[in-house]
Amino acid sequence: FLRYARPVTLNLSEVDLQDLVDNLAREAREEAAPAGVAIEVRGTFPRIVADEALVRQAIRNLLMNAIEAFPPSGPAASARGPEAVSRRVIVHGEPQTEPQGGVRLVVEDNGLGIAKENLPRIFTPFFTTKERGTGLGLALVQKTAVVHDGQVEVLSDPGRGTAFALILPARPRAP
């Protein structure tokens, strides 16, 4: 709660997004394995100037949400056989070609998706559909994007999955 509520003073430095994403994906794979979720990293992640701790937490929040987007696994899930769709999360990086440069970082899953009636509220602090959620993860992702002069976009298809795009400039404007 305090992390969301307190004003943000950016601690800017050059961030190697490729290294950051690779490390987060490796950590997330350990948490995703028991749920049978595979994590892939694709694309190009350029260096940017940002607050590395905030960007790391935002990407981690997106990864954890994607992993949690799948129904619990168990004997029923494995009994579906090879025709069942594999559980996957893809982190895709795409350098932006606009004058300010930057990155479009997409975290996509083929999980349950977000119900249409919940989409308008997902960035609202304390809104959650999870039994044990705080409702701050996506609010922090959005706050991180905003303080870096970026944005977050979401596309979700209930029953088919969700994609969150974290769009960050090469460097935030001066405060």
Side-chain angles (χ1 to χ4, degrees), residues 11 19 25 29 48 50 53-55 73 87 91 111 115 124 137-138 149 152 159 163 165:
N11 182 14
D19 187 53
R29 282 183 187 107
I48 62 171
L54 291 177
V55 171
S73 61
R87 297 167 175 228
V91 184
T124 303
L138 290 176
D149 300 319
V152 181

Side-chain angles (χ1 to χ4, degrees), residues 13 117 134 147 154:
S13 64
E117 64 270 14
T134 63
V147 300
V154 61

Side-chain angles (χ1 to χ4, degrees), residues 36-169:
V37 178
I39 298 178
E40 298 176 39
V41 176
R42 299 179 183 169
T44 304
F45 299 88
R47 291 178 178 268
I48 62 171
V49 174
D51 186 311
E52 185 170 352
L54 291 177
V55 171
R56 175 184 305 277
Q57 186 62 53
I59 297 169
R60 178 167 169 57
N61 289 354
L62 292 175
L63 279 167
M64 292 301 100
N65 277 1
I67 292 167
E68 294 168 0
F70 298 93
S73 61
S78 60
R80 291 187 303 219
E83 68 280 353
V85 175
S86 63
R87 297 167 175 228
R88 64 166 170 69
V89 173
I90 299 170
V91 184
H92 182 80
E94 180 181 318
Q96 298 293 277
T97 57
E98 291 133 22
Q100 65 183 26
V103 66
R104 178 183 184 86
L105 188 148
V106 179
V107 177
E108 176 184 355
D109 66 68
N110 63 343
L112 295 174
I114 301 169
K116 292 195 186 308
E117 64 270 14
N118 291 335
L119 275 174
R121 300 171 46 199
I122 61 173
F123 296 112
T124 303
F126 307 111
F127 173 76
T128 185
T129 59
K130 297 177 186 174
E131 193 174 304
R132 303 181 104 174
T134 63
L136 288 175
L138 290 176
L140 284 166
V141 170
Q142 184 181 48
K143 185 172 183 176
T144 296
V146 168
V147 300
H148 283 89
D149 300 319
Q151 62 186 27
V152 181
E153 297 173 351
V154 61
L155 290 172
S156 188
D157 189 359
R160 301 183 130 208
T162 301
F164 280 93
L166 177 60
I167 303 158
L168 297 171

